[in-house]
Amino acid sequence: MDAMMALDQEHSGAVRLTGYAHGGGCACKIPPGELEDVVRGLVGQTHPDVLVGLDGGDDASAVLVGDDLAVLSTADFFTPVVDDAYDWGRIAAANAISDIYAMGGRPVSAINLVGWPRDRLPMELLAEVLRGGLAVAAEAGCPVTGGHSVDDPEPKYGMAVTGVARPGSLLRNDAARPGLPLTLTKPIGLGLLNNRHKQTGEVFAEAIATMVQLNREAAEAAVQGGLRAATDVTGFGLLGHLYKMCRASGVGAVIDRNAVPLVSGAREALRDGFISGGTRRNLEWVRPHLRPGPGVSEEDLLMLADAQTSGGLLVVGELPGYPVVGYTTGGQGIEVR
């Protein structure tokens, strides 16, 4: 947390939620390399009913509970990404529910996860956060049935979400095959604008609209189209999540940087240096596996590594109405053109 910013807020009476957090949104994730070191010893546990566990780095787990029914489980929470409490709640809920969509499932229940500095921030603000989360969950047709809260010096909010899917229709990290298009369903650059918002207070309406948008339609189209591999693009950036999927599937990829859509204002935010530490760590983690082509700059790579919050789906296969940003290959690593 920026202590001076928080102190100024207290004196002025204004509340900027992002000033109470050391990071913002999915950019405050533990770096991917460090996280993998921690969970490495947990990978490989087996159970006959586990369809998707830790091994592939998927967005949610999948456990078989019937002949044609899998239960999906996920949890996601983070520090404030915007100053408006209601919008933060909406963004966090959409982000958590996205893990279910990224697996090709349908969310059926959610519970709130809350950390709140009750001696520093009014409880009325927390009510607004929860109201925002409830609104997005209702849009998803996902009842919020409870939750858990702790007194925390840093505000945090998210959800644990349960979903269902047909086992044969799961979208997985390890199911990509070579020679297929890569489709991206939301623009990137959200991390840059969120960082700019945190530092300047500027509000970016398109970024907020993008983050609160559910990935439901894209997920349904992917399942109906018989596609098998997908992930959502969040804190590890487009390059990081693509690398995880390629590694799990044993394939490579080519990304056309000029085909990747950007949210309005992202290029200017990059130019002006609003690059989060999480984005820089993402790039360093994936850099050994990148082959930048002629004319690909460090700024291009930082944009592709930008730590997203509630980003779109990256789908192996073509979805009508969404841009194709590259394709999978039979090799290894990621070529950026």
Side-chain angles (χ1 to χ4, degrees):
M1 178 179 71
D2 186 332
M4 289 302 296
M5 182 187 294
L7 186 61
D8 289 343
Q9 292 168 23
E10 290 174 0
H11 286 168
S12 69
V15 176
R16 289 200 58 207
L17 284 172
T18 56
Y20 288 82
H22 74 282
C26 292
C28 66
K29 279 186 174 182
I30 295 175
E34 293 181 23
L35 186 60
E36 289 189 344
D37 288 342
V38 170
V39 302
R40 184 167 288 119
L42 306 178
V43 175
Q45 299 179 61
T46 58
H47 187 283
D49 293 330
V50 174
L51 302 177
V52 179
L54 285 168
D55 295 37
D58 280 273
D59 298 288
S61 68
V63 178
L64 190 67
V65 295
D67 291 341
D68 198 31
L69 180 64
V71 169
L72 311 179
S73 298
T74 187
D76 208 312
F77 62 95
F78 48 65
T79 53
V81 68
V82 293
D83 291 322
D84 186 274
Y86 180 76
D87 283 343
W88 175 33
R90 293 198 296 158
I91 292 165
N95 182 77
I97 294 169
S98 178
D99 285 345
I100 300 298
Y101 294 136
M103 298 293 294
R106 176 174 61 87
V108 296
S109 179
I111 57 175
N112 288 315
L113 304 174
V114 175
W116 198 255
R118 49 184 291 275
D119 59 339
R120 300 194 67 190
L121 288 175
M123 298 303 286
E124 291 81 3
L125 272 183
L126 175 56
E128 281 297 289
V129 175
L130 298 177
R131 192 170 69 87
L134 189 63
V136 163
E139 181 185 351
C142 178
V144 180
T145 55
H148 183 70
S149 63
V150 295
D151 191 346
D152 192 327
E154 189 175 54
K156 301 177 180 72
Y157 174 64
M159 288 178 167
V161 188
T162 300
V164 294
R166 291 186 174 181
S169 299
L170 287 172
L171 301 173
R172 307 171 53 129
N173 261 3
D174 62 0
R177 298 294 177 261
L180 295 174
L182 288 167
T183 300
L184 182 64
T185 68
K186 285 187 185 181
I188 66 170
L190 297 166
L192 288 157
L193 294 181
N194 289 339
N195 199 28
R196 186 164 201 152
H197 172 71
K198 176 178 171 61
Q199 295 189 41
T200 70
E202 297 174 76
V203 176
F204 300 93
E206 183 182 333
I208 293 172
T210 299
M211 289 185 286
V212 302
Q213 180 185 352
L214 294 172
N215 285 321
R216 174 173 52 197
E217 290 182 5
E220 290 175 351
V223 170
Q224 291 170 6
L227 306 186
R228 289 293 175 260
T231 184
D232 64 351
V233 178
T234 55
F236 300 151
L238 175 59
L239 289 178
H241 288 283
L242 174 59
Y243 168 64
K244 288 180 66 178
M245 187 159 58
C246 287
R247 182 179 61 180
S249 298
V251 300
V254 173
I255 287 289
D256 177 359
R257 70 189 190 282
N258 294 318
V260 176
L262 306 180
V263 68
S264 297
R267 199 176 300 280
E268 292 76 14
L270 178 66
R271 177 201 63 201
D272 294 341
F274 292 99
I275 304 164
S276 70
T279 292
R280 295 188 187 278
R281 290 188 291 269
N282 288 342
L283 181 54
E284 291 313 305
W285 178 61
V286 78
R287 194 187 295 275
H289 312 284
L290 297 180
R291 297 190 304 277
V296 177
S297 67
E298 183 74 0
E299 288 71 24
D300 291 327
L301 297 180
L302 283 166
M303 181 67 80
L304 295 174
D306 184 46
Q308 306 302 285
T309 296
S310 192
L313 300 185
L314 180 65
V315 182
V316 179
E318 192 165 357
L319 291 182
Y322 299 101
V324 171
V325 299
Y327 55 91
T328 57
T329 70
Q332 294 184 338
I334 300 170
E335 180 181 353
V336 181
R337 296 179 177 174

